[in-house]
Amino acid sequence: MWSTKLFLLTAVLGCFAVCDSARILGVFTSPAKSHLIIHMSVVKALVERGHDVTVITTMPLTEKNKSYRHIHVPMPDSSAKQKVQMIQNKIDKPKPFWREFPEFFPKIINIANVTMNSAQVKKLMDEESFDLMILGYFFNDFQLGLAAHFKCPVIINFMIQPFTQLVDMSGTPREVSYVPNLFTGLKQPMGFKDRLWNFIYSEILEAVNYKLADWQHEKYYEAFFPRDRYPSLSDMKKNVSLILTNHHFSQGPVRPLPPAIVEIGGIHIKEKPDPLPTDIKQFLDSANETGVVYFSFGTHVASGSLNPAKAKAMFNVLSKIPFKVLWKWDDSAPFPGESSNILYKPWTPQDDILAHPNVKMFISHGGQGGVVESQYHGVPLLIVPFFGDQNANRESVENLGYGRGIRFQDITEEKFKELVNEVLGNPSYSEKIKQFSSLYRDRPMTAKQTAVYWVEYVLRHRGAPHIQSPLVHLNFFERHSLDVLAVIFGVLFVVLKISCLILCFVIRKIRGNKKMKFD
Ligand SMILES: *[C@@H]1O[C@H](CO)[C@@H](O)[C@H](O)[C@H]1NC(C)=O
Ligand SMILES: *[C@@H]1O[C@H](CO)[C@@H](O)[C@H](O)[C@H]1NC(C)=O
Ligand SMILES: *[C@@H]1O[C@H](CO)[C@@H](O)[C@H](O)[C@H]1NC(C)=O
Ligand SMILES: *[C@@H]1O[C@H](CO)[C@@H](O)[C@H](O)[C@H]1NC(C)=O
């Protein structure tokens, strides 16, 4: 009793002594609920510490009791329609990420542009001030200008392990010889073929895409933050204080990170699950002898966008297994069938469900959020990837032995049945993922504590240039020591050339002398 009171007192005093209540702006314009979940987890941790947080989002927030200020700038109807169409195309014809990128990038940046042009954001820029900005990163680099506008330090929050743009922005060495690019699905250690593909992917395919994206960012940046009043975009990219990444090294790969990248993997996972809705709780509790399969394709893939024949094939398999099945199915399509062991729900509290001890397998689209939740709770996976990083997540899960996967378009009743039986029947998946779960949870501070500590660190010191990697300020030649090598080889060349000339001169002299003697 006393110790808790004392702890609370120290916590409260500690906060007010060092950071008071800071005014923090969260800019989260990417049109994805799964991204928002990660960003809002950081916001909630900061609000609990007494900070005054304002967030700008394009997606609605469903929470009733908001302890932060919310500015909702809905994306235009045309973008919403495009987004649905884009997802449908990806479901029908999946492509590798570097080929997907040129299609979705203009749409993403357009949504960011619309947000910035909105009356609400303009008003905010005219009237308010902030001590810190948190940018939810999703190819929206030009919004870094907002931090220049408010003259405050900026922290980037990211949903997964940092990908190349953030790796470069933070001055993290790319190390393509042993650090697999996220989108290749490769794992460490990499053999020659892997290294070759990793190099081509990272240094050529992706580099071209991102160069083109950078030109767009410059254009948008100039429109909102003209050069006569603001620092340049490239200066702003060099002025990011910290990157929070929803990743943990135990997930791999192992790579060197500068101090300005802080891992808060699992920030969105509750340390203690919330109570489940009554019907779901009863359904899960009652399966203490059989076990439950939890099935959800997340928030983007509407049930109505699934090919009905494939959905039926999955139903045929799941309705016959000796397990209960909790299936997230929204009202955009009729159920694929009714069965006494299956409960359909349009919305499911995923993290709380995965925390339930009776859940034995998670059938997922392989979004990073769900994969991490499954890993945290030690539930083996069957992944049916659709787009983005999902297929890479599937490969990684298969490589690590945490489950199996199959592309949606490849699903047949036989193949699906085989995979379901394999993951449920072979204990190795469950053992491996439970072992990972204990590694993932073994840390000195929880994800929440880490996020709060480092955000307040940046607040206390008004930016954090002293933890920045100097690599940020080097150009291509300096970064690869090409200038140094040029000087070394230049000097070597000159020394060799001179030695040659001297040698030739001496030889000629000796020969000349000999000739003279014989004459
Ligand atoms: C709203 O949330 C705050 C902070 O999380 C909490 O202290 C408060 O009790 C909540 N109020 C209601 C009515 O739920
Ligand atoms: C950004 O949006 C505004 C208004 O919605 C539009 O006028 C402008 O052309 C857009 N910028 C670009 C670069 O497309
Ligand atoms: C970089 O950020 C700091 C605050 O963290 C600010 O004082 C400084 O002016 C910024 N530099 C540029 C070029 O914007
Ligand atoms: C399963 O749960 C029921 C009630 O929910 C209980 O009566 C039964 O003993 C439980 N069985 C086991 C093996 O725990």
Side-chain angles (χ1 to χ4, degrees), residues 18-281:
V18 290
C19 56
D20 298 330
S21 155
R23 280 175 59 80
I24 300 174
L25 174 67
V27 180
F28 312 134
T29 57
S30 65
K33 266 191 210 161
S34 54
H35 299 182
L36 204 48
I37 288 172
I38 308 297
H39 303 321
M40 291 313 292
S41 313
V42 174
V43 166
K44 280 182 197 140
L46 292 170
V47 167
E48 280 166 23
R49 286 280 289 177
H51 294 293
D52 172 9
V53 186
T54 301
V55 298
I56 304 174
T57 73
T58 55
M59 304 293 290
L61 286 168
T62 43
E63 236 167 306
K64 301 228 169 48
N65 170 22
K66 292 199 182 98
S67 40
Y68 45 86
R69 182 157 63 124
H70 180 208
I71 299 176
H72 181 206
V73 186
M75 58 182 148
D77 284 348
S78 59
S79 297
K81 281 202 198 91
Q82 275 179 351
K83 185 180 151 193
V84 172
Q85 184 57 45
M86 196 162 71
I87 291 174
Q88 187 66 51
N89 291 346
K90 288 178 190 180
I91 294 171
D92 297 341
K93 276 198 256 70
K95 285 184 192 161
F97 186 70
W98 66 276
R99 288 180 55 203
E100 236 176 63
F101 184 79
E103 287 168 30
F104 87 80
F105 174 69
K107 301 185 176 95
I108 294 294
I109 199 164
N110 180 48
I111 292 170
N113 178 39
V114 170
T115 320
M116 295 291 294
N117 265 312
S118 70
Q120 293 118 296
V121 172
K122 291 218 160 108
K123 185 156 178 285
L124 194 80
M125 286 175 70
D126 287 342
E127 293 176 2
E128 306 208 19
S129 70
F130 294 94
D131 303 318
L132 175 78
M133 170 171 140
I134 301 179
L135 181 68
Y137 186 81
F138 195 60
F139 307 110
N140 49 349
D141 307 32
F142 79 96
Q143 290 176 332
L144 284 171
L146 279 170
H149 178 83
F150 293 116
K151 297 195 170 55
C152 65
V154 57
I155 292 177
I156 282 180
N157 192 48
F158 194 52
M159 299 73 69
I160 49 178
Q161 60 170 287
F163 53 40
T164 308
Q165 276 154 322
L166 296 179
V167 162
D168 291 351
M169 216 187 279
S170 57
T172 305
R174 286 194 190 177
E175 304 289 6
V176 292
S177 58
Y178 64 92
V179 180
N181 186 299
L182 165 67
F183 293 106
T184 59
L186 295 169
K187 69 162 185 163
Q188 290 173 324
M190 297 192 289
F192 178 77
K193 234 173 66 197
D194 291 351
R195 285 188 290 117
L196 182 65
W197 174 233
N198 198 44
F199 186 94
I200 293 172
Y201 192 94
S202 310
E203 303 288 349
I204 302 172
L205 303 176
E206 201 180 59
V208 171
N209 263 337
Y210 290 173
K211 204 76 211 154
L212 295 175
D214 280 347
W215 285 335
Q216 292 291 314
H217 284 305
E218 291 286 351
K219 198 176 81 184
Y220 283 88
Y221 186 89
E222 294 288 316
F224 292 103
F225 309 104
R227 283 302 287 276
D228 54 340
R229 279 182 289 148
Y230 292 97
S232 69
L233 176 56
S234 74
D235 281 344
M236 283 316 293
K237 282 194 197 172
K238 291 176 188 159
N239 206 19
V240 173
S241 291
L242 198 70
I243 294 181
L244 298 172
T245 160
N246 182 33
H247 186 74
H248 187 248
F249 59 84
S250 60
Q251 293 166 280
V254 172
R255 73 178 304 161
L257 290 182
I261 289 200
V262 171
E263 297 190 320
I264 54 165
I267 182 84
H268 58 303
I269 301 172
K270 289 175 210 130
E271 284 150 29
K272 199 168 147 271
D274 285 340
L276 289 162
T278 322
D279 52 346
I280 293 182
K281 180 170 169 21

Side-chain angles (χ1 to χ4, degrees), residues 481-492:
S481 298
L482 296 181
D483 51 349
V484 173
L485 289 175
V487 168
I488 291 178
F489 282 114
V491 168
L492 267 180

Side-chain angles (χ1 to χ4, degrees), residues 455-471:
V455 168
E456 290 183 350
Y457 180 91
V458 171
L459 279 168
R460 279 196 292 275
H461 303 289
R462 298 189 174 73
H466 52 285
I467 58 170
Q468 184 180 53
S469 161
L471 188 57

